[in-house]
Amino acid sequence: MRVRPARPGDAETLRTTVSRAREATVFDDIGAPLLDVSAAGVREAAVGAECCFLMEDDDGPVGVAIAHPDEEGPEAELLALWVHPEHVGEGVTEELLSRVASALSDRGVDTLRASVPDDRPSAHEFYRAHGFDRRAVRRGPAGDEAIVVADIAALG
């Protein structure tokens, strides 16, 4: 498997892969359905982010991570993290987070932030297992969201 920067042209292939995995959203695995999985939705997220990586094998995409640094301050938000169900447990998540961390570190970012539904213990456990700690809870459009953060240096 190989990791490379994602490009807007990857959107249709990624959408097809997610759809074939019988998932409704790119983020279903971690309980945070934040991205429209249509080709346009994926393309919009990839274009809007400064840090977007795609992991693929010979058959196509197996994972994606999209993050965007805040306009001010040393933080970035993890907008997308998805791994094909057939590749869970193969280190895809760790490799994608490491590449995101390295790219963000080069931009002076020291903290990666994500939002997860507060009522999804599996999402909290996922992030905790990958070095994130709970910072706060806020009211979001879909209900209460927990804000979790990780030190970029610990992810890289």
Side-chain angles (χ1 to χ4, degrees):
M1 284 191 272
R2 58 202 166 273
V3 178
R4 65 171 173 80
R7 300 178 293 269
D10 294 325
E12 180 58 31
T13 303
L14 181 59
R15 185 204 62 77
T16 301
T17 301
V18 172
S19 179
R20 286 186 182 150
R22 299 183 183 271
E23 295 183 349
T25 65
V26 169
F27 309 102
D28 224 26
D29 288 349
I30 60 172
L34 302 174
L35 180 68
D36 170 10
V37 76
S38 69
V42 174
R43 188 178 305 109
E44 180 181 338
V47 168
E50 291 185 27
C51 183
C52 188
F53 292 96
L54 185 72
M55 182 172 272
E56 56 192 356
D57 64 12
D58 293 337
D59 296 324
V62 299
V64 65
I66 303 172
H68 189 71
D70 293 349
E71 287 188 27
E72 293 183 24
E75 288 193 12
E77 184 168 7
L78 183 63
L79 301 171
L81 180 60
W82 175 81
V83 175
H84 193 288
E86 292 177 6
H87 296 278
V88 170
E90 296 179 5
V92 175
T93 298
E94 292 77 10
E95 181 63 25
L96 286 169
L97 285 174
S98 177
R99 291 295 291 270
V100 164
S102 178
L104 291 172
S105 179
D106 291 345
R107 291 177 171 89
V109 172
D110 60 25
T111 303
L112 184 61
R113 176 183 70 250
S115 301
V116 297
D118 197 39
D119 62 352
R120 295 288 301 267
S122 61
H124 292 275
E125 183 54 37
F126 172 88
Y127 278 106
R128 193 172 15 264
H130 290 90
F132 287 76
D133 294 312
R134 185 182 181 111
R135 173 189 279 170
V137 175
R138 70 177 178 206
R139 172 76 61 194
D144 288 345
E145 299 174 330
I147 307 304
V148 295
V149 295
D151 181 8
I152 290 286
L155 296 174

